[in-house]
Amino acid sequence: IPVFVFSSQLREIEFTTDLDKLIITLEDGTTEIFRTTLYAYNGNVTLINIAEVIEDYMTKNDLVFTAFTMYYNNADGTNLGSFNLNTLFCTHIIEAEAGVYGSYNFLTTLTAKRVPMHSTDFLSLFHGQESGPLKIHAVYKAEDGSVGNKTFTLKTITTDDIGVSAIEVKYDTIYLRLRLQAGKVSKVLSYTIEFNNRYFTYYVVDNTPNVVFTFKNCFNVYEEIYLNAVTTTKTEVNRSMAISQGRHSFYDQSVDKTYEVETAPMTQAEAEWVEQLFMSHSVRLGTATDPDTLPEVIITDSTCEIDDNDEKLHQVKFTWQFVDHCPHLQTSAKTDESRIFTEPYNQ
């Protein structure tokens, strides 16, 4: 077993023994999370599907990386040995050692995404004890219409231990730093984040996406997804009716409100990434520094057909609703005089 493993790689663990049976336990620190008795066949004991136990435990406890210890004991409980399972959560099979993958990639299956201006995103990374500059490679449009590029260091990041951290990436911060570095900048066209051999690119779009979700991806970390889409709201009211003293009245009324979304065309990589939204165990509407403050939703139905035609764009359809099964009123956060209508009417 490698030093670091993805949870999805723990499908089968084999033990060699001359005993009739082994008692296998899995612990997180001092907490026992799994125990089973396995009987030997031809001197071998095989533990299967431990990945499901580990992923369920990490999901419930909101863990991305955990150092588990697996013990194997004889029938009377005497310990025969143990080994570490330094596990990085991942529900997808990745043909790479987790430590190597984490050294060259952020915890996302994308290498780039489209974001609107003034957006804030969080890039998660698996790291050891390391330090280095957070570099920005920006392409911008100057006020005279010319296009230029600039590379600068946003800050230095130092991590003291093995674990997972998130880097806040703000368009406005990059824009202001770019103006200091390059002068008269009209807008940022794209920017690539670099940290110790990890790279991720943001392409800035002019239009504001009208569907935004924050969801736990296949690494159990939050990602923001911005979609241009058409949303159809459907409301179904179910209730019973009774007649009393010649008057009709309703009772046992319930409201079922769903939102059907059809996205604008997207690339194959984006469509494959959106699949993680459909399978996510935690989806939130909107984006925030603390995603847990956002209203929780569930994806109830989805259609995503992907082919390998490089010239074809893909459209995705899905349906979502609020977890609390109550109608939500979308209110404006504005509290000033901007709420007064002052625009001229069309003549």
Side-chain angles (χ1 to χ4, degrees):
I1 297 177
V3 177
F4 301 103
V5 295
F6 289 115
S7 59
S8 57
Q9 295 172 333
L10 297 173
R11 297 298 170 187
E12 186 174 289
I13 300 176
E14 189 170 291
F15 302 83
T16 301
T17 180
D18 56 1
L19 301 176
D20 293 333
K21 61 182 177 181
L22 291 178
I23 299 174
I24 310 297
T25 62
L26 183 68
E27 297 184 5
D28 178 13
T30 59
T31 303
E32 182 179 292
I33 65 172
F34 176 77
R35 174 182 288 265
T36 188
T37 300
L38 298 176
Y39 291 85
Y41 179 74
N42 289 337
N44 292 318
V45 168
T46 304
L47 177 65
I48 62 174
N49 294 334
I50 190 63
E52 297 178 8
V53 175
I54 288 176
E55 289 172 3
D56 183 64
Y57 174 81
M58 296 180 75
T59 297
K60 290 179 178 178
N61 291 277
D62 198 26
L63 300 172
V64 183
F65 171 77
T66 303
F68 294 103
T69 304
M70 181 165 285
Y71 297 90
Y72 47 101
N73 312 313
N74 63 16
D76 63 9
T78 302
N79 179 246
L80 302 176
S82 66
F83 54 90
N84 293 328
L85 292 175
N86 298 311
T87 307
L88 183 63
F89 188 101
C90 184
T91 57
H92 289 44
I93 297 293
I94 297 178
E95 300 299 335
E97 195 266 325
V100 175
Y101 182 90
S103 297
Y104 291 93
N105 299 274
F106 291 101
L107 295 182
T108 173
T109 57
L110 287 177
T111 58
K113 71 162 61 169
R114 291 179 287 177
V115 294
M117 290 190 292
H118 313 298
S119 65
T120 298
D121 197 32
F122 291 89
L123 277 177
S124 296
L125 68 151
F126 175 60
H127 55 75
Q129 292 180 332
E130 54 184 294
S131 179
L134 181 64
K135 293 183 179 180
I136 308 296
H137 306 273
V139 179
Y140 63 91
K141 185 176 182 180
E143 292 181 357
D144 62 4
S146 62
V147 176
N149 60 80
K150 198 76 175 178
T151 297
F152 58 91
T153 298
L154 192 63
K155 60 182 178 180
T156 298
I157 296 177
T158 301
T159 58
D160 299 325
D161 202 355
I162 298 171
V164 175
S165 301
I167 300 173
E168 185 180 44
V169 182
K170 300 185 70 172
Y171 172 93
D172 291 338
T173 299
I174 293 172
Y175 173 76
L176 292 174
R177 287 294 299 273
L178 194 55
R179 286 185 67 91
L180 292 175
Q181 297 281 335
K184 297 181 179 180
V185 176
S186 173
K187 67 177 181 178
V188 184
L189 301 177
S190 70
Y191 45 95
T192 298
I193 310 299
E194 177 189 355
F195 177 67
N196 289 0
N197 296 318
R198 305 173 184 90
Y199 299 88
F200 194 86
T201 299
Y202 294 91
Y203 296 104
V204 183
V205 295
D206 293 330
N207 57 315
T208 301
N210 52 1
V211 178
V212 181
F213 293 105
T214 300
F215 70 99
K216 288 286 185 75
N217 66 8
C218 67
F219 298 101
N220 206 30
V221 297
Y222 276 120
E223 277 197 90
E224 291 78 18
I225 181 168
Y226 298 90
L227 296 172
N228 292 302
V230 175
T231 300
T232 302
T233 303
K234 293 186 176 181
T235 303
E236 181 179 349
V237 180
N238 298 305
R239 56 194 176 186
S240 300
M241 184 175 64
I243 302 176
S244 177
Q245 297 180 352
R247 296 177 60 87
H248 292 81
S249 62
F250 296 111
Y251 65 96
D252 291 341
Q253 178 170 298
S254 63
V255 179
D256 189 19
K257 198 166 189 176
T258 59
Y259 303 84
E260 296 181 356
V261 178
E262 182 174 355
T263 68
M266 60 179 63
T267 65
Q268 179 180 341
E270 289 173 323
E272 291 175 346
W273 176 56
V274 170
E275 286 183 340
Q276 295 179 45
L277 170 70
F278 303 153
M279 296 182 286
S280 177
H281 65 88
S282 179
V283 182
R284 307 277 176 165
L285 180 63
T287 179
T289 303
D290 182 6
D292 291 334
T293 62
L294 298 170
E296 190 172 6
V297 305
I298 56 172
I299 309 297
T300 58
D301 189 28
S302 62
T303 301
C304 184
E305 296 182 0
I306 302 173
D307 60 46
D308 56 2
N309 185 348
D310 294 336
E311 298 180 356
K312 181 180 178 180
L313 293 176
H314 304 77
Q315 284 184 293
V316 175
K317 299 179 181 180
F318 62 96
T319 302
W320 65 271
Q321 63 184 111
F322 290 101
V323 168
D324 55 21
H325 207 64
C326 293
H328 283 234
L329 179 64
Q330 303 296 324
T331 59
S332 172
K334 296 179 180 179
T335 58
D336 55 17
E337 294 182 356
S338 64
R339 293 179 294 168
I340 300 176
F341 180 78
T342 58
E343 296 295 326
Y345 288 95
N346 293 330
Q347 299 297 321

